[in-house]
Amino acid sequence: MPTVFSHSIAGWALSKVYPGIPYKPSLAIWAAICASIPDADVLGFRFGIPYGSMWGHRGFTHSLFFALLFGLLIAFIYTKGKGSLIKYWLFFALATASHGLMDCFTTGGKGIALLAPFTDERFFPPREFRVVKVSPIGISNFISEWGWKVIQSEFFWIWIPCIILALLLGKKSSQL
């Protein structure tokens, strides 16, 4: 998995370039939350949920179905039930779905349950497209040579493209 930092920057970049929605710092914060929240499933390890379970790491919370559900929830919170709910729903669903899609391109793990709950099959693209070094789970494991290699990999494969995309296509800040 990419780190929470990289998932968050992807959410921020999406908030800068997504058409039809004005950029606001609050939008970027919610997009970063959406892009990061699927990894809350690591809490399942503490409760004995196995990695390969649909409810385990990279399972249901990494699916496109979860992205649609969570996106709807956040859109309702963000719009307070007023305005263009569908427009924001699609935006927040895409921000949430970005997590599982980014995880697909990491060098480790057992795949992503993109189609859960309809199947528990896990997906990865061909190995030559899996270029982002997988991050270790846990802070103590992350503060290591492995963690440094992950940061370097994410900087090259995620941060630089997101920053360039936001600079080239990004909108200016709207009202707060």
Side-chain angles (χ1 to χ4, degrees), residues 7 20 33 39 47 50 54 63 77 81 87 94 109 113 120 123 147 157 170:
H7 285 299
I33 290 168
D39 273 342
F47 298 102
M54 184 178 301
S63 72
I77 292 169
K87 178 170 48 174
L94 183 59
D120 60 359
F123 299 92
W157 291 107

Side-chain angles (χ1 to χ4, degrees), residues 79 82-89:
T79 64
K82 301 174 186 168
S84 301
L85 184 66
I86 292 176
K87 178 170 48 174
Y88 284 95
W89 174 28

Side-chain angles (χ1 to χ4, degrees), residues 2 11 27-28 32-33 36-37 40 56 61 63 66 79-80 86-88 94 101 106-107 109 112 130 158 167-168:
L27 182 75
I33 290 168
S36 300
I37 202 70
T61 63
S63 72
F66 175 82
T79 64
K80 298 173 181 67
I86 292 176
K87 178 170 48 174
Y88 284 95
L94 183 59
L101 297 172
T106 61
T107 58
I112 315 302
R130 295 171 49 197
I158 299 169
L167 289 174
L168 291 177

